[in-house]
Amino acid sequence: MSTIISKFTDAALSEMRQNHTYRTMRLMESPEASRVLLRDTKDGTSHEQVLLASNSYLDLANVPELKQAMANAVLEWGTGSGGARLTTGNKTPHVELESEIARFKGEEAAITFNTGYMANVGTISALCGKGDYVFSDELNHASIIDGIRLSRSKCLVYKHNDMADLERAILEAKDAAGKSSAEFRGMVVTDAVFSMDGDLANLPELLRIAHGHDCLLMIDEAHATGVIGKTGRGLAEHYGCGHADVTAGTLSKAVAAEGGFVAGSTKLIDFLRNKARSFIFTTAMAPAVAAAALNNLKFIDAHPERVQQLRSNVDFFCESLRREGLDVATSPSAIVPIVIGDEAKAMQVSEALQERGILIPAIRYPTVAKGQARLRASLMATHTKEDLLFAAHTLAELCNTSYLEPNA
C-alpha cells in the first residue's frame, strides 16, 4: 500500500520542500491569547511568544465569563447535537444564535453552518448553477473559489478591487449571453476584508454596479465581523451604506467560537435551508458551541470598546513600523502585511522572529502569488503597546539585515 500511495504523494511533497512551500504545524501549549507558549520542535521545550498571528481579534476566547458560559452550556446541552438540523439536531441555542446574528447584522434572518468554508461553498452552489455567471475578485478566499467551481457557473474573475474591470466583465458577459436583463442571472461575490492584504472591498460601488446590472451581491465578512465599523458590524456600518443581498461570515475569528453564517432576507434564508447541501447533509454544530457563539456575539455588542481598542492597536503598530523605517500603510482592518517577496527569505525572517519571542508566520504560495511571500501580522485588542513596539523594532531590525540579502 505504501508503494501505491507514493505514486500520488512523493513528487508533490518533494516539489513543495524544494520550493519552500512545504508546511508543518506549530504546537501551542496554552490558550489562544496575545501571548502563548509554543513548543520548540528542536529541543521540545516551551517558550513564551508574542502572538501576532491570530484571527481571534478581540481575544474573547479567554474572557472568564464567556468560558464559564460555554462550560455551563456543555453541562446543559451535552457535547454533541446528534443529528442534522432538519432531522433531530435543531436545538434552542441554534435558533437563538441565528436570531442574534440577524439582529447584529441588521438583517431579517440568518442561517448557521458548521464552518465559514461550508457557508460559502453551500451558499454559492445553491444560488448559482449552470448557465449563471459569477463575478469574483481575483483575491477571493479559497472557499469562495471552491463554491463557484461546485456551482458549475461561468466564473469571470475581475482585477482586485477594480470596479471598472468588474463593470466591464458584467457588460461583456451580458453581451455574450445574448439574454435580456430579466433572463440574465449573475452574482458578484467578494471578500469584505481580504485576508492576506487586509484591505476592504468597496461596498458602495459594489452595490451600485451589481444592482445596476440586476446582479446579486454576496460578501464574505469573515475578517470584518467584530472588526470593521464602530461597533464591529461590518462593511455596511463602516461605509454607512446599504447591505449586500447575501452576507456570509464566520464565528471562529473575532467571535472566538466555531461555525459560519449567512444573513439576509427571510426568503434567502428559507431558500438556503432547503437547498444548501453543506447545511442539509451534515450533523449540526454542538449546541454548546452555538451557545458560546451566541454569548460571545452579545459580548461584542455590549463592549464596543474592544473593537475600538483593536483599531487603536492597529494604528499604533503601523505607525511604529513606519517610524522604524518599514514601508507599511495603515491597515483598515486587523491584518498588517509585511511583504518580503522571496519564499525562502520570508521563512528565514519568520524563524528569526520566533527565536526572539515573536510569532508572525510566513505566508507563501499558493496562499499568495509566487514572489509575494509575506509576514502576515494580525493584531488583538489585548496586545500591549510594549509588545507592539518590541515587535515593530525587531521586525525592522531583521528586515534590514542579511536575511533579505541574495543567497542569505
Side-chain angles (χ1 to χ4, degrees):
M1 182 180 291
S2 59
T3 303
I4 297 173
I5 196 66
S6 293
K7 293 194 294 185
F8 293 84
T9 60
D10 288 6
L13 288 170
S14 176
E15 183 179 2
M16 284 187 278
R17 290 188 177 95
Q18 185 176 347
N19 294 338
H20 305 286
T21 58
Y22 179 76
R23 288 159 169 77
T24 58
M25 292 189 290
R26 298 176 179 84
L27 177 60
M28 288 185 187
E29 297 184 317
S30 64
E32 195 91 345
S34 58
R35 282 178 172 263
V36 295
L37 284 178
L38 193 69
R39 172 78 65 87
D40 189 318
T41 56
K42 296 175 183 175
D43 60 17
T45 59
S46 298
H47 303 277
E48 188 176 63
Q49 301 273 313
V50 176
L51 180 63
L52 283 163
S54 176
N55 294 329
S56 183
Y57 300 120
L58 301 179
D59 199 9
L60 300 190
N62 282 302
V63 176
E65 66 188 84
L66 298 178
K67 292 195 290 184
Q68 186 61 56
M70 185 173 186
N72 293 343
V74 171
L75 293 175
E76 180 179 1
W77 291 99
T79 59
S81 65
R85 290 282 301 280
L86 294 175
T87 55
T88 63
N90 193 38
K91 306 293 193 296
T92 304
H94 299 117
V95 177
E96 291 178 344
L97 172 59
E98 289 169 344
S99 178
E100 179 62 19
I101 291 169
R103 190 197 66 78
F104 186 82
K105 285 293 187 181
E107 298 284 4
E108 291 179 0
I111 185 172
T112 52
F113 294 76
N114 287 26
T115 66
Y117 194 102
M118 292 170 73
N120 277 339
V121 168
T123 299
I124 295 169
S125 61
L127 285 170
C128 301
K130 203 168 184 179
D132 295 336
Y133 290 79
V134 180
F135 305 94
S136 176
D137 189 290
E138 66 178 332
L139 296 187
N140 275 341
H141 189 264
S143 58
I144 293 175
I145 295 167
D146 289 353
I148 297 169
R149 288 171 175 164
L150 189 61
S151 76
R152 297 185 297 166
S153 301
K154 174 73 173 177
C155 179
L156 293 153
V157 177
Y158 62 91
K159 295 176 184 176
H160 175 53
N161 256 343
D162 188 329
M163 298 297 95
D165 195 50
L166 168 60
E167 193 150 29
R168 173 204 57 77
I170 293 174
L171 288 169
E172 288 184 3
K174 292 176 86 169
D175 184 60
K179 297 178 180 178
S180 68
S181 292
E183 295 173 315
F184 182 82
R185 295 199 350 159
M187 183 169 76
V188 178
V189 60
T190 179
D191 281 327
V193 174
F194 293 89
S195 59
M196 292 301 115
D197 293 277
D199 55 336
L200 308 184
N202 188 339
L203 182 57
E205 277 296 283
L206 287 161
L207 284 166
R208 180 188 67 80
I209 293 168
H211 291 172
H213 292 283
D214 295 316
C215 292
L216 281 175
L217 175 61
M218 176 177 173
I219 59 170
D220 176 7
E221 296 213 309
H223 294 273
T225 301
V227 176
I228 303 300
K230 188 176 180 180
T231 63
R233 281 166 164 77
L235 282 192
E237 182 182 50
H238 173 78
Y239 286 110
C241 66
H243 292 221
D245 304 290
V246 185
T247 299
T250 182
L251 302 165
S252 62
K253 298 186 184 345
V255 182
E258 288 183 12
F261 67 85
V262 171
S265 67
T266 302
K267 184 178 291 187
L268 167 70
I269 302 310
D270 190 34
F271 174 84
L272 292 176
R273 196 179 293 118
N274 285 276
K275 291 289 288 183
R277 293 172 66 84
S278 60
F279 173 82
I280 297 168
F281 298 107
T282 190
T283 298
M285 72 170 76
V289 172
L294 170 65
N295 292 325
N296 292 10
L297 198 57
K298 286 181 175 179
F299 185 91
I300 296 172
D301 193 31
H303 295 277
E305 69 275 6
R306 282 250 175 175
V307 180
Q308 292 150 24
Q309 182 58 46
L310 174 62
R311 179 73 260 149
S312 175
N313 277 354
V314 172
D315 292 345
F316 179 82
F317 183 59
C318 292
E319 179 57 33
S320 299
L321 289 170
R322 286 195 294 272
R323 283 200 303 268
E324 293 284 352
L326 293 179
D327 184 17
V328 175
T330 298
S331 173
S333 67
I335 299 162
V336 181
I338 299 97
V339 177
I340 303 298
D342 181 78
E343 280 76 14
K345 292 172 185 175
M347 286 293 296
Q348 288 172 329
V349 177
S350 179
E351 289 166 4
L353 282 168
Q354 190 171 317
E355 289 172 4
R356 299 194 188 193
I358 303 166
L359 180 53
I360 307 179
I363 306 297
R364 299 156 287 155
Y365 177 83
T367 307
V368 294
K370 288 183 179 178
Q372 288 293 308
R374 66 199 58 195
L375 303 178
R376 177 190 180 272
S378 52
L379 275 65
M380 287 177 157
T382 53
H383 279 121
T384 65
K385 295 293 191 290
E386 291 75 19
D387 281 346
L388 296 176
L389 283 170
F390 169 57
H393 176 75
T394 308
L395 258 169
E397 185 179 18
L398 291 172
C399 287
N400 290 322
T401 65
S402 60
Y403 286 102
L404 297 187
E405 295 299 322
N407 302 317

